[in-house]
Amino acid sequence: MPPPTLPQHQIPGIFLSTPLTKYLLSQEDADKDKNKQPPYKIHTTAATSSKIPNPFFNITARSPPIPPSPINPNPTSQPAPPAILLTLFLSRPLPKPSAHLLLHVGTGVTGQNAIAHGGFLATCLDEVCGNLISAEGVDGGLGMFTVQLDVKYQAPVFIDEGAGSVIVASAEVERVEGRKVFVEACVRDKDGVICTRGEAVFVKKKGQAAL
């Protein structure tokens, strides 16, 4: 059974106040889809569904909450800048599985001059593709490995040095050939500009589906 759509009051305010993510969360694009695609399911974390693996940005790379007045026990050191502050994952099923990974990020993901690091953006592409495949059961419950990820950087993604910025990684399954799944993805900045594009190939693991 798919996870229920997250109630509006449980959606982080930053995603409701940013025009791009507010639009995606409003489900308006589902109404305009000529193919009558179902609305997106909104997932908070991996705990909402056994079909979704632990998202990398929710478990491994998540920044801890920063108190208003942090106490630094060592005055000679500075606290690390925040990286991943909030995430939200949206997906919808066949016949054209697609997903959006909403991220509120800080300067901890930048490389230089408040610009998001290229390696971080590549990780965003890989993560949204992999979670889409798992969330919508494209892998048949077997799990998958990334075997190819081609990335094209078209424009810099600027990160606000104060409050951070919202960015969106989106993905859509293009085709399935045997054990291979081909996915196209992109990263957009808060204004909706496509800054990074990616094409990924995943291969289904061999063996029985996980329970």
Side-chain angles (χ1 to χ4, degrees), residues 1-6 25 27 38-44 49 51-52 88-94 98-100 135-137:
M1 178 181 295
T5 296
L6 196 66
L25 290 164
Q27 310 290 339
Y40 286 104
K41 298 187 294 287
I42 304 175
H43 315 267
T44 49
S49 172
K51 290 184 178 181
I52 306 177
L88 207 58
F89 182 70
L90 287 63
S91 70
R92 64 183 178 191
L94 297 169
S98 59
H100 301 289
E136 295 305 331

Side-chain angles (χ1 to χ4, degrees), residues 64-146:
I66 300 175
S69 300
I71 299 175
N72 187 358
N74 184 357
T76 62
S77 65
Q78 296 294 325
I84 310 301
L85 300 170
L86 292 168
T87 63
L88 207 58
F89 182 70
L90 287 63
S91 70
R92 64 183 178 191
L94 297 169
K96 202 71 170 178
S98 59
H100 301 289
L101 176 61
L102 284 51
L103 296 134
H104 177 205
V105 299
T107 54
V109 304
T110 60
Q112 58 176 325
N113 301 326
I115 296 174
H117 193 285
F120 164 73
L121 297 176
T123 303
C124 290
L125 294 173
D126 186 51
E127 187 70 3
V128 70
C129 291
N131 279 281
L132 164 61
I133 289 170
S134 181
E136 295 305 331
V138 182
D139 59 352
L142 294 172
M144 305 203 79
F145 291 115
T146 311

Side-chain angles (χ1 to χ4, degrees), residues 194-209:
I194 295 178
C195 300
T196 309
R197 292 185 184 273
E199 295 181 351
V201 181
F202 288 74
V203 171
K204 296 179 185 178
K205 297 179 182 179
K206 295 180 180 179
Q208 296 181 342

Side-chain angles (χ1 to χ4, degrees), residues 33-57:
D33 195 327
K34 294 180 181 180
N35 296 322
K36 300 298 181 181
Q37 284 269 30
Y40 286 104
K41 298 187 294 287
I42 304 175
H43 315 267
T44 49
T45 67
T48 59
S49 172
S50 61
K51 290 184 178 181
I52 306 177
N54 289 335
F56 175 75
F57 291 134

